[in-house]
Amino acid sequence: KFYDKQRHFTTVISLNNDQLNNKTYLDLINNYLIASQTDAKGYITDVSDAMCDITGYTREELIGKKHNIIRHPDMPAEAFDDLWKTITSGKVWEAEVKNRKKDGKSYWVKTRISPTFDENGKIVGYASIRVDITDKKKVEEVSVTDELTKLYNRRHFNIIFSKEINRAKRENKNLGFAIFDVDNFKLYNDF
C-alpha cells in the first residue's frame, strides 16, 4: 500500500512475467477464439468477446439463454439430436454448423463441444470452441455452382456422379441421368 502522486491511498498489484504472459494469452483467446460455456441443460453461462463479435449479441444478451438462440433454421434437427446424444454420453462432438446472427445473417463455424465434469465425474456443463469457416463455405459453393444460373456446375457433377453410381449399385437401384442442351447458352454462360 502506498500513496499515489495525488496523495490517494492505493494498493499495488504486482504481476510477475508469467502472470503477464498468462493474461496476454487469455486476452488473445477471449478476443479471437469463438467460445462459450453452458450448464448441463444448454443455458449459456459464459461467452468470449469473439463469440459476441460474430453473433452480434452482447454478452448480457447471450448469458442465461439457451444456445439455440443462434441456431439457423437450415440446420437439420438430426444434427442437434446427434450433438446431444454424443455430449450427454460424455463424448466430444465436432461438426460444421451454420448459425444465425442477431441481424438474421448466417455464418459457418467448425465446432467442437466437450462435456465438463465435476470432481465425481458428473457432467455439469459443456464447453465449445469454434472457428469461423464462412469464407471456406462460400468458396466451396462458388466452386460447384454456376454463377449465372445458380445451378450445380460440371465440377459438382464430376464430384457427385461417381458417388451416385456407387450408391445405386449398393442399393440395387437404377440411376437416371438427363442432359439438356440449350442452344447458344454457352454464349451467355461464358459472358
Side-chain angles (χ1 to χ4, degrees), residues 68-81:
N68 63 10
I69 189 172
I70 60 171
R71 181 177 175 173
H72 196 283
D74 289 353
M75 285 298 297
E78 298 81 21
F80 296 100
D81 292 341

Side-chain angles (χ1 to χ4, degrees), residues 43-190:
Y43 288 94
I44 299 170
T45 58
D46 195 17
V47 294
S48 67
D49 288 348
M51 174 86 170
C52 295
D53 291 343
I54 196 165
T55 65
Y57 287 98
T58 65
R59 179 173 270 103
E60 293 74 23
E61 289 173 310
L62 290 171
I63 292 179
K65 300 288 191 302
K66 290 286 260 181
H67 218 286
N68 63 10
I69 189 172
I70 60 171
R71 181 177 175 173
H72 196 283
D74 289 353
M75 285 298 297
E78 298 81 21
F80 296 100
D81 292 341
D82 180 58
L83 178 158
W84 282 104
K85 180 181 172 189
T86 302
I87 62 176
T88 56
S89 69
K91 298 177 184 164
V92 173
W93 186 81
E94 287 189 50
E96 293 182 353
V97 178
K98 185 176 186 180
N99 285 329
R100 182 169 48 190
K101 298 180 180 194
K102 183 179 178 179
D103 65 8
K105 293 180 182 174
S106 64
Y107 65 97
W108 282 90
V109 288
K110 172 75 173 165
T111 302
R112 179 182 175 94
I113 303 173
S114 303
T116 54
F117 302 91
D118 66 11
E119 60 277 354
N120 298 319
K122 179 183 173 192
I123 295 174
V124 293
Y126 304 97
S128 176
I129 57 171
R130 301 165 195 82
V131 176
D132 183 1
I133 59 167
T134 305
D135 290 341
K136 173 188 171 234
K137 287 298 203 178
K138 286 178 184 175
V139 168
E140 285 176 3
E141 185 177 335
V142 168
S143 73
V144 296
T145 308
D146 179 78
E147 186 177 352
L148 179 63
T149 64
K150 303 300 181 208
L151 298 173
Y152 288 124
N153 62 18
R154 175 71 182 253
R155 179 185 172 108
H156 180 73
F157 168 79
N158 291 341
I159 294 169
I160 202 74
F161 194 62
S162 64
K163 291 179 184 177
E164 289 301 315
I165 290 172
N166 289 334
R167 184 175 63 86
K169 286 179 183 176
R170 272 193 321 273
E171 296 174 2
N172 199 26
K173 296 195 176 184
N174 294 327
L175 176 66
F177 178 68
I179 297 177
F180 295 95
D181 184 15
V182 179
D183 290 338
N184 299 316
F185 187 73
K186 182 172 176 30
L187 296 173
Y188 298 101
N189 200 32
D190 290 345

